[in-house]
Amino acid sequence: MTRVWVRELAGWLGAAAVSLVTAGAVASSARADLLFRDGDSMVVAMLARSLLSGEPLDWAMSSVLFLPESAAFTALDAAVPVDASGLFAISAVVNLLALYGAIRLTAGRARAGMAPVAWSVLALAVFGVLAMTDVSASREALDLASLQLTTTYYSATVVAGVLTIGIVRRMIDSRALMAWPSIGLGVVALVSTLSNPLYAAWATIPLVMLLAIASVSPGLRSRAPVIIAVLLAGTTLGFLSRIPLAAWITKTGIDYIQPGQWHESIDYYGRLVGERMQSSLGVIGLLIAAALIVAAVVRTVRAGDPGSRLVAAMAWVAPVMVVVGAVMLGTHAARYLQPFAFAPVLALVAAPHALRVGDRVRRPAAVMVGVLLLVAGGLSIPRLADAATRPDADLTCVTDWVDASGRTGAGQFWTVRLPKLHLADPSQLVQVDHQLNAYAWLVDRTDFAVGEVSFLVEDSQTVPWDPPQAVLPERVVDCGRYSILDLGTETLPLGPQRS
């Protein structure tokens, strides 16, 4: 019992080290913009801050509600005395650790001849390498693995997808179906679908298909239909649970489906592949993913038991189905293809056999690798901290001016969200479109009650203003990449809400 406990603890320590190395590398690359400064990346932190304020909430969300992400970030915000950038850095590590936990569950139980802990750490390390090959600052690049380090781009759905595969594998491996795994599977499906309908595409549909095929096997003939029923019931209840939250959902998943644009979708994703292949690291990442998918196919064919075969099959079936589905539905968003990054690494834990080497070699090697990982993880902490605390004089200029003004201003989505998060009172910056209509998208709509604003914040991402009435600024405050158009005693009324 002690040896099992020691191995599991060693696995978590190794995973923590891998997570720190990965987060430090990504945060020190051009991808740092996505972690700390991207307009989309602010939503979970802004929602957490609203929840902690105790003020009335009236949020306008997309089809994704970010429920697990917001709960985790709110807990961190309440417990850890650091600023938003520091919380983003901690969240990056936590997200990777959560992924490790799901991978470890998927690797199966420790038993003679198996090394699920070591293979789980290796799987996370390979995923970390994939994340470190992501070099683009663009949110639309085909740099998928690094999205797991953000709070916004479906990190909880990634973990839930792998967790679902793990629970199903444990249910298949068990001699008899038990209540608790079934309840756990249903709860994960319900909460995940409630939070993000993509869970159904990433986990429910491919798993149901594979389980339906597996049900012809004598060993799964009675078990597979039960698992399918639980998974479908949880997913269905998740969709139904979204109905009471309809007031918060400003755009449903149906709005993103445009089958008639399948040809444009092929062009879009093809262009992203081409752009990724323009860098050597991007090519390495694609080759690693391709190698893992080939390994998954081989392991599916050679699997010695149903649980291993299911995990290996999901490692290549899920990415293929998601890519084909994304094209058929005419989508144009790289983040929808994340199974192409996280699913293939499951090939490494489908059948985690221990290496056939003696204890005299295996134990010293394991200790040496563990020590090296811990050292690398420790050395990555200052690197990650430096990325999170890097001064931003332009941002400070804006927030200091707005805090001191005591007035309310406005800015467009991609411009205003970073300063808004870092203000003492976020409601002092209202999110608008270029015509000064209240832009109700991933923001608390109570902000719009102010009715008028007396300054505008703009930067290079700002669309030229076209307000309902022409007002010349009294002065322009230069804040580097930002400019503040101070209207003085004049004000501009907010237009009607739109999303």
Side-chain angles (χ1 to χ4, degrees), residues 279-345:
S279 73
S280 57
L281 285 177
V283 172
I284 290 172
L286 290 174
L287 289 175
I288 292 173
L292 288 171
I293 289 176
V294 171
V297 173
V298 172
R299 290 202 167 189
T300 302
V301 175
R302 296 180 178 178
D305 61 272
S308 297
R309 182 174 291 107
L310 177 81
V311 174
M314 276 296 290
W316 66 270
V317 169
V320 170
M321 287 188 67
V322 167
V323 170
V324 172
V327 170
M328 290 179 63
L329 296 177
T331 63
H332 296 79
R335 60 187 179 276
Y336 297 160
L337 305 186
Q338 286 186 69
F340 194 84
F342 71 81
V345 300

Side-chain angles (χ1 to χ4, degrees), residues 241-266:
S241 299
R242 292 172 61 85
I243 296 174
L245 301 176
W248 278 32
I249 302 172
T250 57
K251 196 170 185 180
T252 65
I254 300 298
D255 299 318
Y256 297 95
I257 298 176
Q258 299 172 313
Q261 296 189 15
W262 65 270
H263 191 273
E264 291 85 348
S265 185
I266 292 177

Side-chain angles (χ1 to χ4, degrees), residues 16 18-28 31-37 41-42 45 72-73 76-77 80 82-97 146 148-152 377 380-390 421-422:
V18 169
S19 300
L20 286 167
V21 171
T22 303
V26 173
S28 301
R31 221 55 181 152
D33 280 344
L34 214 62
L35 287 179
F36 303 118
R37 293 176 285 276
S41 299
M42 303 295 108
F73 198 93
L76 283 175
D77 199 357
V80 184
V82 297
D83 64 6
S85 294
L87 291 172
F88 286 140
I90 296 172
S91 291
V93 177
V94 170
N95 289 349
L96 289 172
L97 278 173
S146 58
Q148 179 61 21
L149 281 71
T150 70
T151 59
T152 304
S380 295
I381 294 175
R383 188 181 189 187
L384 181 59
D386 178 68
T389 58
R390 191 164 297 159
L421 175 65
H422 288 268

